[in-house]
Amino acid sequence: MSSSFRHSFDIIGPIMIGPSSSHTAGAARIGRIARNLFGEEPEIAEILLYGSFAKTYRGHGTDVALVAGLLNFPTHDNRIPKSLQIAKESGIAVTFKPGPPNPDYHPNTVRIKLSKGERKFEMLGVSIGGGAVEILEIDGFKVKMTGQYPTLVIPHADRFGVIAAVTTILSKHQLNISFMEVSRRGRGSEALMLISTDEQPPAEAVAEIQLLEAVKRVSSIEAS
Amino acid sequence: MRFTNLAEMVAICEQEGKPIYELMIEEHVQETGTTREKVIEQMTESFHVMMQSVERGLTEDIRSFSGLTGGDAKRVYEYAQKGKTLLGKQATEAVAMALSTSEVNAAMGLVVATPTAGSCGILPGVLSSLKQSLGATEEQLVLGMFTAAAVGYVVANNASISGAGGGCQAEVGSATAMAAAAAVELAGGSPTQAIQAAGLALKNVLGLVCDPVAGLVEIPCIIRNGFGSVLALAGADMALAGVRSVIPPDEVILAMYNIGKQMPVELRETALGGLADTPTGRRLEKQIYGDDTKEA
Ligand code: SF4
């Protein structure tokens, strides 16, 4: 059994603005994770929708919800219905397109490309039902992140000792690691570390990791 | 969690002499490291949101964003107050309250997904009705939500709770099974009776397709929530009377999973088949989006 749903509040919940947990709440969560990984408000958001997302996104408010997430709104935020307008006013250029059909993708899949100036970011997310989500790609790295636990996402240089340095900082702050994943593009090049912890890491821990030389940046994603 | 299916769950309950909700709360505390008080507090918050959405749909004039739906909850509720209903007042009110929450959802109002937003009316409909019929307190109803969560947890991990994944049987079906189990425990039934109720109710929605008109969570979703609440109560009554599902509830869930996999993509939340693809369904779709809608 794949335990994508872990406890009562994965089933009863989220508390959300309707109309669809997978197409609205899940979409808002995916958008918000993208926003937090990107770390700031993007100037351009290009959104590719697959499967059921591509077919019914307007009816379910998937577009509205994804953009609400990009604006960092939680699933119960009553500004969600007005997100497209709010994004426009804050100067975010958003486009929606159906993505090229891919039989391997779950029917509720979305690819989000964000940019601001030179900075670019890309993420693939899936809304698996009931508001639960999975992030399957971050900047080309294959990952599996659910956002159920607080998670640190750390792009870094693939060098000896980086992982140990990060986990040392976490243990110093008495954070218990529940899940960890490292993927890399090739030996000695870029790598991406995902670390889920039981408790939300304090800002000091994040700042300390950020200071490590091999670390490019740290995104701290709250559990949702 | 110490269980992966309903049979294991009931075995633990029987061995330790506790209801399903109690086991679910304990497992939650174990899993997440929070306290029992916090878990109950969080569920109580969801309960309040649920009851507010029930209330809203009965007292305000709700209209969905598309303008296609709204007002039926009020209609049914007022009809129930006249006293001459065929189902009886309480069951008719359950229908009204389930419709109510679903209408609020379609109007982009605040709801609790139980387990999904499309099926968010069934559990509140059933719980509000039990408040009346059993005189259940808020505390008790909140406990019942853990029973519902336990059944939903098993269904979600062994099958699906998404219309896109498994059709409407996975949404309205799961919600119905969850609410049926909760109703049994709130009425004082055993864990075995609770999962029997879930199995019985789920059997009756096997094969239900997801075919929302214009892709909106409105038609047929709202009405299906109304029916789901009565189905859940009927399943609970049958189980409390001693009826058992010959096909064990876990196997019903397995059947639901397999049927979902066999269901063509047109009938899994793509708005390409079923009611969405009727002449009226298509006309409404055009009316809402204009002509250029369906990009490949
Ligand atoms: S028809 Fe589809 S969208 Fe509507 S409630 Fe059922 S599963 Fe959800």
Side-chain angles (χ1 to χ4, degrees):
Chain A
M1 153 163 135
S2 72
S3 283
S4 294
F5 299 85
R6 293 166 315 139
H7 55 62
S8 299
F9 301 113
D10 289 345
I11 302 298
I12 306 292
I15 295 176
M16 55 168 281
I17 297 290
S20 165
S21 42
S22 54
H23 289 61
T24 318
R29 278 177 166 168
I30 292 173
R32 196 167 187 216
I33 290 174
R35 160 66 184 266
N36 288 323
L37 288 174
F38 189 62
E40 58 185 327
E41 200 162 276
E43 285 166 355
I44 299 171
E46 195 186 327
I47 298 174
L48 295 173
L49 300 154
Y50 299 86
S52 169
F53 264 13
K55 296 276 186 295
T56 65
Y57 71 93
R58 266 177 291 198
H60 285 101
T62 307
D63 47 355
V64 174
L66 284 165
V67 171
L70 293 178
L71 289 165
N72 212 5
F73 297 169
T75 56
H76 57 268
D77 197 307
N78 55 22
R79 291 170 297 176
I80 289 178
K82 298 199 189 73
S83 71
L84 294 179
Q85 184 63 29
I86 297 173
K88 206 170 170 194
E89 282 160 17
S90 25
I92 308 175
V94 188
T95 53
F96 290 94
K97 279 194 260 185
N102 186 330
D104 294 337
Y105 283 179
H106 181 283
N108 294 335
T109 299
V110 57
R111 182 177 294 282
I112 299 179
K113 299 180 183 179
L114 304 178
S115 63
K116 180 172 185 177
E118 292 294 290
R119 274 197 69 209
K120 285 195 189 330
F121 170 80
E122 191 170 326
M123 189 187 96
L124 189 75
V126 182
S127 181
I128 58 171
V133 305
E134 285 173 1
I135 307 305
L136 298 181
E137 268 180 41
I138 296 174
D139 274 335
F141 290 106
K142 300 257 178 277
V143 297
K144 184 158 176 187
M145 169 180 163
T146 63
Q148 289 167 322
Y149 292 98
T151 304
L152 295 174
V153 179
I154 309 171
H156 62 96
D158 182 23
R159 242 186 256 157
F160 172 79
V162 186
I163 297 169
V166 172
T167 53
T168 306
I169 293 171
L170 294 177
S171 68
K172 197 179 87 192
H173 287 271
Q174 298 186 341
L175 290 158
N176 190 32
I177 296 175
S178 57
F179 174 81
M180 174 157 185
E181 181 181 4
V182 181
S183 59
R184 55 183 199 172
R185 293 199 213 277
R187 187 192 282 223
S189 66
E190 274 177 84
L192 185 77
M193 193 183 328
L194 258 68
I195 303 181
S196 299
T197 49
D198 288 339
E199 304 287 331
Q200 182 68 36
E204 304 89 74
V206 175
E208 278 176 49
I209 296 170
Q210 184 80 69
L211 285 178
L212 295 173
E213 209 210 309
V215 166
K216 292 208 190 122
R217 42 178 281 118
V218 183
S219 308
S220 179
I221 308 296
E222 284 175 29
S224 64
Chain B
M1 292 281 176
R2 285 186 289 157
F3 57 88
T4 60
N5 58 39
L6 296 177
E8 286 171 16
M9 179 178 85
V10 167
I12 302 174
C13 287
E14 281 175 353
Q15 210 164 30
E16 301 179 3
K18 53 180 72 129
I20 296 169
Y21 59 75
E22 196 53 50
L23 174 64
M24 196 62 181
I25 294 170
E26 287 175 12
E27 292 295 300
H28 189 116
V29 168
Q30 183 66 31
E31 177 94 9
T32 58
T34 46
T35 63
R36 185 190 168 86
E37 289 67 41
K38 275 216 180 113
V39 178
I40 292 186
E41 196 184 295
Q42 192 178 341
M43 196 59 100
T44 307
E45 192 192 329
S46 292
F47 178 77
H48 288 154
V49 174
M50 270 172 33
M51 292 304 125
Q52 278 158 18
S53 39
V54 167
E55 182 71 20
R56 249 195 90 188
L58 295 180
T59 50
E60 291 175 29
D61 280 317
I62 300 287
R63 211 66 212 155
S64 68
F65 264 39
S66 68
L68 292 180
T69 54
D72 287 338
K74 254 181 144 173
R75 239 165 250 137
V76 176
Y77 191 75
E78 280 158 19
Y79 165 78
Q81 303 319 304
K82 293 188 194 127
K84 270 202 246 154
T85 75
L86 304 178
L87 269 177
K89 184 161 179 261
Q90 268 152 8
T92 313
E93 280 185 0
V95 173
M97 291 168 184
L99 293 175
S100 171
T101 308
S102 292
E103 285 180 353
V104 168
N105 178 58
M108 281 191 119
L110 194 66
V111 297
V112 186
T114 54
T116 65
S119 57
C120 69
I122 296 166
L123 188 61
V126 167
L127 292 181
S128 337
S129 137
L130 296 176
K131 200 157 128 190
Q132 318 256 346
S133 56
L134 302 173
T137 62
E138 171 176 315
E139 253 172 14
Q140 288 167 326
L141 294 172
V142 168
L143 292 178
M145 288 168 76
F146 286 99
T147 313
V151 170
Y153 167 83
V154 170
V155 176
N157 284 314
N158 289 291
S160 168
I161 53 165
S162 116
C168 199
Q169 54 166 6
E171 291 201 16
V172 160
S174 303
T176 303
M178 287 162 56
V184 167
E185 282 211 317
L186 286 169
S190 68
T192 301
Q193 287 174 322
I195 69 161
Q196 288 299 328
L200 291 168
L202 191 56
K203 281 203 290 195
N204 210 46
V205 285
L206 287 182
L208 192 63
V209 300
C210 172
D211 48 357
V213 168
L216 302 164
V217 191
E218 297 189 41
I219 304 165
C221 317
I222 297 173
I223 295 295
R224 282 186 186 159
N225 274 266
F227 277 111
S229 64
V230 178
L231 191 59
L233 290 170
D237 266 336
M238 279 195 252
L240 286 165
V243 177
R244 294 178 74 99
S245 173
V246 174
I247 307 296
D250 282 313
E251 292 181 34
V252 178
I253 294 172
L254 179 69
M256 190 251 250
Y257 175 67
N258 288 328
I259 293 168
K261 279 202 305 194
Q262 288 157 356
M263 226 178 243
V265 68
E266 285 81 3
L267 300 174
R268 284 188 281 118
E269 210 164 347
T270 49
L272 293 173
L275 295 169
D277 194 30
T278 53
T280 302
R282 289 294 180 209
R283 179 174 58 71
L284 293 172
E285 180 182 28
K286 259 189 207 149
Q287 182 184 313
I288 294 165
Y289 298 126
D291 264 335
D292 63 320
T293 48
K294 292 287 159 213
E295 51 269 67

